[in-house]
Amino acid sequence: MPKIVDHDARRAEIVAAVWRVIERAGMDGATVRSVAAEAGVSPGSLRYYFSDQGELVLFAAEAMTQRVVARLEAHSTEGDGLARAIRVLEEMLPLDEDRRAEASVWLEAIVRARVDERLSALKTAGWFGSRYLCRLAWAHLHDLDRPNSPAFTFDTATDERAAAELHAFVDGLTLQAVTYPEQLATGEVRRMLRDHLKTRL
């Protein structure tokens, strides 16, 4: 009897291997051969799912986005506005092993999008997705109507500007936490986010 392969499970294993390789060796290190070795499969088996490095990285970045969305959907509505805003924004910050890998993949994908057209649309969608989360956090913080899509904008220029500034802060904090983990431990990243939001109440 032929072996039944769970392709969804295999893809998830491969994506996890991609993240590990990129975090350890960068985007250029995420070749079909290196990811196959990390995942414990043959390069030929890997090419069943991805024809080249670009497709492999694109799938990993898309899967990362889906993971963030799934965690957001599982969030509790308990707590005050500050607590809810923190929970939303912490999903974008490298606060544990999974989120550090996700942030590393995302930053590498953004850089690669400059030379790989396949990642260009993902980069644009990622920007709007991050801005949406910052608008959502701002709405929690000030008890405003919740954004219902990435196309949402606040009625006032003041709230839109505040969300844009929050977006820039979180992006900068993510970049520094990924690049200089020895300078920004998890507790310090959490403290900086909380302190920043408190000044915006």
Side-chain angles (χ1 to χ4, degrees), residues 39 64 68 152:
M64 177 218 62
V68 172
F152 172 95

Side-chain angles (χ1 to χ4, degrees), residues 11 14-19 22 27 30 50 53-67 101-102 105-106 109 119 122:
R11 279 177 176 266
I14 292 170
V15 166
V18 173
W19 288 331
I22 291 177
M27 187 70 77
F50 313 102
Q53 184 192 41
E55 284 188 8
L56 187 149
V57 171
L58 177 61
F59 185 84
E62 289 174 338
M64 177 218 62
T65 301
Q66 293 168 5
R67 281 168 54 131
E102 290 168 359
V105 167
W106 185 248
L119 291 166
L122 184 70

Side-chain angles (χ1 to χ4, degrees), residues 11-195:
R11 279 177 176 266
E13 292 170 2
I14 292 170
V15 166
V18 173
W19 288 331
R20 292 194 299 271
V21 171
I22 291 177
E23 189 172 28
R24 183 173 66 242
M27 187 70 77
D28 289 339
T31 63
V32 170
R33 186 172 297 278
S34 67
V35 172
E38 181 74 23
V41 301
S42 70
S45 295
L46 191 66
R47 288 191 177 92
Y48 175 85
Y49 300 95
F50 313 102
S51 63
D52 61 14
Q53 184 192 41
E55 284 188 8
L56 187 149
V57 171
L58 177 61
F59 185 84
E62 289 174 338
M64 177 218 62
T65 301
Q66 293 168 5
R67 281 168 54 131
V68 172
V69 170
R71 292 199 301 265
L72 286 166
E73 289 176 345
H75 275 188
S76 166
T77 57
E78 296 178 358
D80 60 16
L82 175 61
R84 294 196 302 274
I86 289 172
R87 285 200 296 270
V88 168
L89 297 177
E90 282 187 344
E91 294 301 348
M92 295 191 286
L93 294 171
L95 297 174
D96 53 34
E97 186 176 344
D98 284 345
R99 283 177 284 185
R100 278 193 297 274
E102 290 168 359
S104 295
V105 167
W106 185 248
L107 292 173
E108 291 276 8
I110 288 174
V111 172
R112 191 179 180 87
R114 297 177 62 186
V115 296
D116 191 332
E117 185 64 28
R118 289 173 295 187
L119 291 166
S120 181
L122 184 70
K123 180 187 73 170
T124 300
W127 187 92
F128 281 102
S130 295
R131 180 58 62 88
Y132 164 76
L133 293 183
C134 290
R135 287 178 176 131
L136 179 59
W138 187 255
H140 281 312
L141 203 61
H142 293 276
D143 197 25
L144 303 174
D145 289 340
R146 308 291 187 266
N148 53 16
S149 78
F152 172 95
T153 57
F154 287 116
D155 292 335
T156 69
T158 299
D159 289 322
E160 270 297 296
R161 186 165 54 249
E165 291 171 354
L166 187 55
H167 190 174
F169 172 79
V170 172
D171 275 359
L173 188 55
T174 298
L175 178 61
Q176 287 208 5
V178 169
T179 308
Y180 307 106
E182 67 281 1
Q183 304 297 333
L184 280 174
T186 297
E188 179 66 6
V189 174
R190 290 184 187 276
R191 183 196 64 77
M192 290 177 69
L193 175 63
R194 176 176 287 275
D195 287 354

